[in-house]
Amino acid sequence: MDRGEFELIDAIRSRFTVPGGVTGIGDDCAVLPEHGGNETLVTTDMLIEGVHFLLPQASPDSVGWKSAAVNLSDIAAMGGRPVGTFLSIALPAALDSAWVSGFMDGYSELSQLFDVPLLGGDTNSSPDRLCINVTVLGECPVGKSLKRSGAVPGDIIYVSACLGDSAAGLKIILGGGPADSVEEMEVRRHYQPIPEIPLGMHLQSVPGVHAMMDISDGLASDVRHIMEASGVGAEIDVASLPMSSQFRQVCAAHGWDPVELALCGGEDYKLLFTAAPGSILPDGKCIPVGRITSGNELRWIGSDRDFGGFRHF
Ligand code: ADP
Ligand code: MG
């Protein structure tokens, strides 16, 4: 490691306040105090230039924001509280310290939204593409994390927000960039998803909430993960899918099928969960889109298309 890399780590370190009792960046390991009554959640995700984002189209701060957001979303998906993140960067020579500083602007801004300190990582040069790995530690009361395997027939299926905006944003980026402020809004939804940390933590404490995950591949594919893990079927009511007005507007302008994008587009980073009828859920953020059935079929109500459903296993 050369002088420049030590300076880079110092610059990264100076952006975060580490909570009392925690050893963060600077030693051989981070050290976290014991916290009775909780179990530890760990998640890690890699983002690779050309696979998960394009340079130079993606600004450094949007890559930083998204690197933190997609990982924190996995903690939200279990109903956990994020405790700290670890950030490893393989940096090609073409990206200088100004790029890393922009990246850290986005990474820190999103982390600070949820008060999550950066506790360590690794920094290396890359002969080719930029590669970023983020690991997040979280915690949850023992036995209370919400898994994909808890759904039971009769549960109502909910999503926590409108779907499809991120997928529309990606199509706008790939089509050459936003043409107006509505399209800019959709692009922001793609680059700057906001993980559902407070809602996830709340749902973890609500009796009757049985299974949860975050929507990363799209509802059509993600609901199958809950079906397979829980050994159940599902019905999705296509007419009830929540969509924002700006999403409908850009779909109409470009001739895109909003239902297809909302179901199959992905990268929403919102929650998909199931709960027994009558569960006391927070207002506004829980939109019913279907129900869990016995058997193993996925059925689309109100549409003669199957969106890849009807898969038997
Ligand atoms: P080691 O040789 O023990 O792996 P390093 O010199 O790689 O140590 O890192 C020194 C300290 O800086 C460690 O605490 C490590 O976790 C932290 N660190 C290195 N790179 C990053 C980074 N990109 N983000 C956050 N912390 C980092
Ligand atoms: Mg190291």
Side-chain angles (χ1 to χ4, degrees):
M1 202 148 118
D2 63 27
R3 184 82 232 123
E5 278 178 13
F6 283 117
E7 278 168 15
L8 196 63
I9 294 171
D10 276 343
I12 289 173
R13 177 187 193 169
S14 68
R15 289 173 178 263
F16 286 86
T17 312
V18 172
V22 173
T23 302
I25 295 174
D27 215 312
D28 293 310
C29 284
V31 185
L32 296 159
E34 196 182 79
H35 193 167
N38 284 288
E39 54 195 9
T40 302
L41 310 173
V42 185
T43 179
T44 188
D45 256 302
M46 193 177 271
L47 289 96
I48 299 167
E49 177 189 346
V51 180
H52 300 98
F53 56 88
L54 297 171
L55 294 181
Q57 288 93 322
S59 66
D61 61 303
S62 68
V63 178
W65 177 293
K66 201 161 174 182
S67 302
V70 303
N71 279 278
L72 290 176
S73 181
D74 282 323
I75 298 291
M78 305 296 290
R81 184 184 79 83
V83 169
T85 68
F86 294 79
L87 167 65
S88 296
I89 311 174
L91 199 62
L95 300 180
D96 55 8
S97 62
W99 194 94
V100 177
S101 176
F103 173 92
M104 288 311 303
D105 287 344
Y107 191 95
S108 323
E109 193 182 346
L110 191 271
S111 300
Q112 270 143 30
L113 268 186
F114 302 108
D115 251 342
V116 194
L118 175 64
L119 296 179
D122 202 10
T123 308
N124 272 291
S125 57
S126 164
D128 183 16
R129 294 181 186 193
L130 173 66
C131 180
I132 294 150
N133 178 252
V134 177
T135 300
V136 189
L137 291 188
E139 64 179 16
C140 191
V142 172
K144 293 289 190 181
S145 62
L146 289 167
K147 316 216 168 48
R148 299 175 179 190
S149 56
V152 294
D155 277 0
I156 299 174
I157 303 173
Y158 294 90
V159 297
S160 65
C162 290
L163 304 177
D165 295 281
S166 172
L170 178 60
K171 283 174 85 75
I172 291 164
I173 294 161
L174 296 176
D180 56 33
S181 61
V182 174
E183 295 199 351
E184 269 164 25
M185 220 186 293
E186 296 298 84
V187 166
R188 208 171 315 125
R189 295 291 295 275
H190 180 75
Y191 279 141
Q192 303 194 317
I194 301 180
E196 299 268 34
I197 300 285
L199 179 64
M201 288 172 68
H202 177 73
L203 291 173
Q204 170 270 116
S205 71
V206 174
V209 177
H210 289 151
M212 190 155 76
M213 64 181 297
D214 65 334
I215 305 176
S216 55
D217 294 335
L219 176 63
S221 142
D222 288 328
V223 73
R224 285 192 192 101
H225 294 305
I226 288 185
M227 290 166 57
E228 286 173 26
S230 300
V232 295
E235 286 177 357
I236 303 290
D237 177 6
V238 172
S240 70
L241 295 174
M243 296 176 197
S244 69
S245 58
Q246 69 268 16
F247 172 70
R248 290 180 193 277
Q249 200 177 319
V250 298
C251 285
H254 290 273
W256 299 333
D257 177 358
V259 171
E260 165 100 38
L261 266 191
L263 283 176
C264 310
E267 298 204 85
D268 300 296
Y269 299 107
K270 297 297 162 193
L271 296 175
L272 168 64
F273 64 97
T274 83
S279 302
I280 313 289
L281 299 170
D283 281 344
K285 289 228 85 181
C286 304
I287 304 126
V289 296
R291 62 184 197 97
I292 297 292
T293 57
S294 53
N296 56 15
E297 269 181 13
L298 176 54
R299 299 179 52 222
W300 302 101
I301 309 295
S303 171
D304 46 16
R305 295 166 58 188
D306 76 0
F307 303 102
F310 276 112
R311 197 164 60 129
H312 298 266
F313 51 85

